[in-house]
Amino acid sequence: MTSASELRSGKGDRDENFPVASWIIHPRHRALILAYYNFVRTADDIADHATLPPDEKLAYLDLLEAELLGKGDTQAEAVTLRRALAERGMAPRHALDVLIAFRMDVTKLRYENWDEVIHYCRYSAMPVGRFMLDVHGESTSTWAASDALCAALQINNHLQDCGKDFRELNRVYLPRDALAASGASVEQLGLTQSPPAMLACLQALAVRNEALLNESKSLSAEVRDFRLGVDISVIQAYADRIVRLLKVRDPLRERVHLNKLELLTFSLAGMIGEVGRRAIGRKAISRPGTAHDA
């Protein structure tokens, strides 16, 4: 079988809302984080491959899982991650979880309601945050806020890329009931501008996602690691800005992303805010309890 890495779809301009192994993170963690990132990206590219039949996609994802678990050495990304995890004495659970999401990407093209989307995020996004927390030795008590942040990041991405996902993959993460409530149709995602009904649906989902994002506000203060706390604050600042843009812009008509100046501005704001908070010892922001799958 061809190496999974040879199937990389070559998406040069990725719309990432999950900055990984940034310069803020301590160098001792970067090799492991990059091994995880490369494994996840390879699996993602398999699931999104333009011409590979679904059964072959699933076979490649199964192969990655098998080799991550030690059953073979032909897939470089799986072998590298397996060895990096073993060096740290960590289990592969968070990598196995994301494979569940990529299998869903192959087999499930529509979502009925918000709960189904959150269930997808449980496997596509939440494991990324949980992995980062585990790498830094943080308590599992931080998972609830992390889950909210990662799910909100994922849903931001779904809203940003809703047109491209439909056109290129026939994949729609917008819940059917939300579309119906606004009088919008899936086919409208193929247009170059949202009709009023679709725009109302997209912006209502952005409002709902903003509420989810607010559940994660305590995370940077909950983690003990200073660098990770700063990194989280920067990511939170990005996410807050993007969701505000999604509440007023049309992602079918324009790219709803941060430009270089905004990235710099919100990076600095996030860093300064977290450094200041830790300097004065301000406690975590209180938030409503959130229960996601453990």
Side-chain angles (χ1 to χ4, degrees):
M1 182 176 269
T2 304
S3 170
S5 58
E6 293 176 34
L7 298 171
R8 298 296 290 267
S9 58
K11 299 175 217 168
D13 182 19
R14 289 193 177 279
D15 298 323
E16 295 290 357
N17 283 333
F18 294 100
V20 177
S22 78
W23 60 270
I24 300 173
I25 295 297
H26 197 285
R28 71 174 177 270
H29 298 309
R30 290 179 192 162
L32 174 55
I33 293 169
L34 285 172
Y36 181 82
Y37 174 84
N38 287 332
F39 178 87
V40 171
R41 286 271 60 99
T42 297
D44 187 23
D45 283 343
I46 291 168
D48 289 354
H49 198 281
T51 59
L52 203 64
D55 58 340
E56 292 188 33
K57 291 181 179 182
L58 294 174
Y60 274 109
L61 294 172
D62 288 346
L63 179 61
L64 284 177
E65 176 173 318
E67 298 209 357
L68 179 64
L69 296 174
K71 302 170 186 174
D73 297 299
T74 65
Q75 307 302 310
E77 291 82 3
V79 174
T80 299
L81 178 57
R82 184 180 78 213
R83 292 172 178 168
L85 289 169
E87 288 176 4
R88 296 283 287 266
M90 291 178 62
R93 62 176 299 185
H94 304 307
L96 295 174
D97 277 353
V98 294
L99 291 178
I100 294 173
F102 295 133
R103 292 186 180 102
M104 291 173 68
D105 280 337
V106 176
T107 61
K108 185 176 177 66
L109 300 178
R110 301 291 186 270
Y111 291 80
E112 296 300 323
N113 51 48
W114 182 264
D115 287 345
E116 283 197 3
V117 174
I118 294 297
H119 176 72
Y120 172 78
C121 293
R122 161 64 184 89
Y123 294 101
S124 68
M126 296 179 193
V128 178
R130 294 179 181 190
F131 170 78
M132 291 292 289
L133 293 166
D134 281 2
V135 167
H136 287 82
E138 299 291 342
S139 168
T140 56
S141 66
T142 60
W143 280 13
S146 174
D147 288 351
L149 176 58
C150 290
L153 289 166
Q154 180 73 84
I155 294 168
N156 268 357
N157 187 253
H158 289 166
L159 296 174
Q160 289 170 299
D161 293 342
C162 59
K164 183 174 71 172
D165 286 340
F166 175 69
R167 292 190 305 271
E168 297 181 4
L169 300 166
N170 189 29
R171 194 181 294 158
V172 179
Y173 297 102
L174 309 184
R176 288 185 196 267
D177 63 354
L179 289 165
S182 297
S185 68
V186 166
E187 291 71 27
Q188 291 171 347
L189 290 170
L191 302 175
T192 57
Q193 181 171 334
S194 293
M198 177 58 74
L199 189 59
C201 176
L202 292 170
Q203 294 181 350
L205 288 170
V207 169
R208 186 165 191 178
N209 199 41
E210 185 176 47
L212 177 61
L213 188 59
N214 287 337
E215 295 179 19
S216 69
K217 297 292 189 183
S218 64
L219 180 59
S220 62
E222 289 181 23
V223 301
R224 298 186 304 269
D225 187 276
F226 172 73
R227 285 175 177 252
L228 181 60
V230 172
D231 200 44
I232 289 167
S233 290
V234 170
I235 293 169
Q236 186 94 44
Y238 292 166
D240 286 343
R241 176 59 177 166
I242 289 169
V243 82
R244 287 196 297 270
L245 293 176
L246 287 166
K247 287 165 58 180
V248 297
R249 292 189 184 176
D250 177 6
L252 295 188
R253 187 173 61 85
E254 59 186 321
R255 280 175 55 84
V256 184
H257 293 78
L258 304 185
N259 59 39
K260 290 182 179 180
L261 178 58
E262 288 174 314
L263 287 170
L264 176 60
T265 300
F266 289 104
S267 294
L268 290 173
M271 288 187 285
I272 292 169
E274 182 61 15
V275 169
R277 186 198 65 76
R278 289 185 181 246
I280 64 176
R282 193 166 76 243
K283 293 183 179 179
I285 302 168
S286 61
R287 59 176 170 78
T290 306
H292 298 296
D293 294 349

